[in-house]
Amino acid sequence: MKTALYCTFLLALFVTGMPAKASGHPKSDDRHHSITVIVELPSAHPELAQVDGEALYLHARGDGRTFLLVEGTGGKTISILDVTNPAQIHGIARANISATGPFDFVKSLDDRAILISFRDQPGVAVLDLRKFDRPVVTQISSDARAIPTQTIDDSGALLQASAHRALATATRATDFQVIDTSAPLRAEVVAIVPDVKQTLLKKDTGTLFLLSSRGIAVIRHPERSETMKQRSD
């Protein structure tokens, strides 16, 4: 199955069989771009972004920084990247964790903790990130899986117990075509990202992260990247 990502000012997801001509803009093996969109394949990013994984999660902190968490295969590791400015992604740490199996990220509890739910077995736990190089998993329930249904202000979440798989982030892998439609009569295929199993949008920058079998691909807008750079200077 092939899915197309249409890129105008914002990124949206559609399934289509519409043909589009190949991009005539310069490109390298790991970076492709049109006038309005940049596609960076896993090889364009730090080593921590170049591995397969189970799931992605964006963890925003109160100090303005945003971190991309990559759950390693089998839920055995966590890789952490600073994606505050998607044009300048930095690898922070990769650490082993004591999770009992693959899991899904449920919600951030505060700047340092994330609620997780085990995917193929009962159990809810807290992933403590106070020390990036030594994250700690603390199980708080072993009887049920949980699906977040409602947030109760900032103090907690109402969780629905489920006898089935919690969030099922992983579906069959799909090849993604990234198509720039900013000029509707001259739509162009910017890049193809193979074997994508999850997408995650960073709304403040309009950046889309794609988890594939080869690692993390990034789709972003050059003008927003320049704005982020000016703010950080």
Side-chain angles (χ1 to χ4, degrees):
M1 179 181 177
K2 186 169 288 186
T3 299
L5 285 173
Y6 290 88
C7 304
T8 52
F9 183 70
L10 294 176
L11 290 168
L13 179 63
F14 300 93
V15 179
T16 180
M18 185 190 77
K21 65 180 182 179
S23 173
H25 292 277
K27 60 185 178 181
S28 63
D29 289 341
D30 54 11
R31 285 184 173 87
H32 306 256
H33 69 87
S34 66
I35 295 176
T36 61
V37 65
I38 298 171
V39 181
E40 296 173 327
L41 301 179
S43 55
H45 299 295
E47 184 179 352
L48 292 182
Q50 298 180 37
V51 295
D52 193 6
E54 297 282 354
L56 301 178
Y57 186 75
L58 283 170
H59 182 54
R61 290 194 166 181
D63 60 6
R65 292 181 298 168
T66 301
F67 296 95
L68 181 68
L69 308 184
V70 186
E71 176 191 352
T73 302
K76 297 177 181 178
T77 63
I78 287 287
S79 297
I80 302 171
L81 299 106
D82 187 336
V83 296
T84 306
N85 180 355
Q88 298 177 352
I89 294 176
H90 302 289
I92 302 298
R94 176 181 293 145
N96 295 326
I97 56 174
S98 58
T100 57
F103 56 86
D104 291 301
F105 297 99
V106 178
K107 74 181 298 286
S108 296
L109 301 178
D110 57 24
D111 272 7
R112 303 288 188 241
I114 300 170
L115 189 68
I116 63 174
S117 180
F118 292 106
R119 188 176 297 171
D120 299 318
Q121 59 185 317
V124 178
V126 172
L127 176 63
D128 185 339
L129 293 170
R130 279 177 291 183
K131 296 182 179 179
F132 277 158
D133 59 340
R134 293 195 300 275
V136 176
V137 175
T138 303
Q139 190 152 326
I140 58 177
S141 171
S142 60
D143 298 329
R145 300 177 177 91
I147 301 173
T149 57
Q150 183 178 345
T151 300
I152 308 172
D153 57 52
D154 293 328
S155 63
L158 178 64
L159 300 177
Q160 173 186 335
S162 171
H164 305 288
R165 181 170 169 170
L167 297 178
T169 55
T171 58
R172 63 178 180 173
T174 303
D175 292 347
F176 274 62
Q177 287 188 76
V178 182
I179 301 175
D180 184 347
T181 60
S182 57
L185 298 180
R186 298 191 302 276
E188 55 181 317
V189 176
V190 181
I192 296 176
V193 184
D195 299 326
V196 175
K197 60 181 78 172
Q198 183 188 355
T199 63
L200 196 60
L201 179 65
K202 188 174 186 286
K203 294 181 180 179
D204 63 332
T205 60
T207 303
L208 194 67
F209 298 95
L210 293 80
L211 174 61
S212 76
S213 59
R214 301 178 186 179
I216 311 302
V218 178
I219 303 173
R220 59 185 177 86
H221 295 287
E223 71 275 9
R224 293 192 180 187
S225 300
E226 182 62 28
T227 299
M228 290 292 295
K229 183 178 183 300
Q230 291 173 358
R231 288 177 181 175
S232 61
D233 290 344

